[in-house]
Amino acid sequence: MRALPVLLSFGRSGGTLVNQMLGVHPDCLVLSEVNPAASFKPIVEQALEWLRLIDAEHAEAFGLLPYDQQIRKLAHLAAARDKTLVLRDWTTVNFVAGTSVYARPSRRLEQCIYLKLAGLSPVPLAVVRRSEAVYVSWRENFAQFAELDAAYFIEAYLDYAAAVREYPIVRLEQLRADPQAELRRIFEAFGLSAAPLDFVLANFHRFTNCTGNNTLGDGAKSVSAREVLPPPPRASAGLSEDVVTRFALADKWLGYD
């Protein structure tokens, strides 16, 4: 089994932006926010409607396959077309209760664990964002999390940070400050050619076959952006000293100063 790129990203951390960038890369096909526990949009629907790797006649049988067999089959079909299949993990479902009605958070990075146990070869890379900015964005953009408790959130985020800190990391703030360099890093990590880099940066906003930020309507400025926006000012949620300390610890684990 060839290497299987896995994009890891906590909700509101830049996962959709990178999904769009990968989506317009001519050598790449992306499964958006899929996870062994639950997928935001079923894999069979993505394979049929977005990736065009299966047809309607075979969709029902494909949908009955176990998760790992679906992934293995789609990776094989993508390779037959000289494409690289990338899994954008629905990472949050493993860490925050209420993300999906179908899953309870294990506080473990289930995607990579599951793929390895299934004999597949994940190549993970995490796109991260400063923890307090993630928390603020959750409360502003997700109605069901408008009153999300900061202490609960940071405990989940610390578990996430501990899980991804061993993998290559791209920080969203740096990606927005220097998209050329950081996108090149992503392409290199996933074994993709950097030749289309300028094309990707000029056209990523046209890509809509993905889930996440592009489903929030006018809730986020980046929805309608035609270029990568510069980093915004640091967010502040007026947190207690103890919670701020734990937010700082998560940021430290993710390589922030």
Side-chain angles (χ1 to χ4, degrees):
M1 179 69 184
R2 65 174 57 197
L4 189 63
V6 177
L7 175 64
L8 305 165
S9 189
F10 209 84
R12 305 301 302 154
S13 298
T16 301
L17 172 62
V18 177
N19 192 151
Q20 291 175 297
M21 291 173 166
L22 292 168
V24 297
H25 192 294
D27 299 334
C28 189
L29 294 172
V30 186
L31 280 172
S32 186
E33 291 191 300
V34 299
N35 187 278
S39 296
F40 192 92
K41 180 178 174 69
I43 294 175
V44 61
E45 293 181 10
Q46 295 191 46
L48 176 65
E49 300 168 10
W50 289 352
L51 306 186
R52 301 288 194 266
L53 288 175
I54 63 173
D55 55 34
E57 180 183 355
H58 299 96
E60 183 176 358
F62 176 84
L64 295 175
L65 294 174
Y67 179 86
D68 61 309
Q69 292 185 32
Q70 290 183 340
I71 300 302
R72 184 180 286 106
K73 184 174 182 65
L74 292 182
H76 175 76
L77 292 172
R81 298 185 186 180
D82 293 323
K83 305 285 187 181
T84 296
L85 183 71
V86 175
L87 270 64
R88 176 189 169 196
D89 184 36
W90 194 11
T91 310
T92 317
V93 77
N94 297 144
F95 292 90
V96 179
T99 305
S100 170
V101 298
Y102 301 107
R104 293 182 179 179
S106 63
R107 296 287 182 90
R108 303 178 69 200
L109 204 59
E110 293 184 15
Q111 184 79 259
C112 293
I113 296 171
Y114 189 91
L115 292 177
K116 289 178 182 177
L117 290 174
L120 302 175
S121 303
V123 178
L125 176 142
V127 177
V128 305
R129 184 182 187 183
R130 285 190 180 274
S131 55
E132 191 167 349
V134 177
Y135 173 67
V136 170
S137 188
W138 270 57
R139 295 190 58 167
E140 290 178 347
N141 289 281
F142 299 145
Q144 70 271 38
F145 293 114
E147 303 300 325
L148 181 62
D149 179 69
Y152 170 80
F153 175 85
I154 192 53
E155 289 306 311
Y157 200 83
L158 277 167
D159 286 341
Y160 161 73
V164 301
R165 65 189 294 194
E166 65 181 283
Y167 300 133
I169 286 176
V170 169
R171 284 167 281 280
L172 177 62
E173 296 83 357
Q174 187 60 30
L175 175 62
R176 294 173 71 170
D178 190 355
Q180 285 264 350
E182 294 305 294
L183 186 54
R184 186 180 296 273
R185 285 185 58 215
I186 294 170
F187 289 167
E188 289 176 353
F190 287 164
L192 298 168
S193 170
L197 195 150
D198 290 337
F199 171 83
V200 168
L201 288 174
N203 291 279
F204 74 90
H205 64 280
R206 303 178 187 275
F207 189 79
T208 58
N209 288 346
C210 61
T211 60
N213 188 45
N214 60 327
T215 67
L216 294 177
D218 297 327
K221 294 178 181 178
S222 58
V223 169
S224 58
R226 298 177 65 86
E227 60 184 22
V228 180
L229 300 176
R234 291 279 293 273
S236 178
L239 306 173
S240 69
E241 183 176 346
D242 177 65
V243 171
V244 168
T245 298
R246 300 188 71 72
F247 271 79
L249 177 60
D251 291 345
K252 180 179 179 181
W253 286 352
L254 297 176
Y256 289 97
D257 296 330

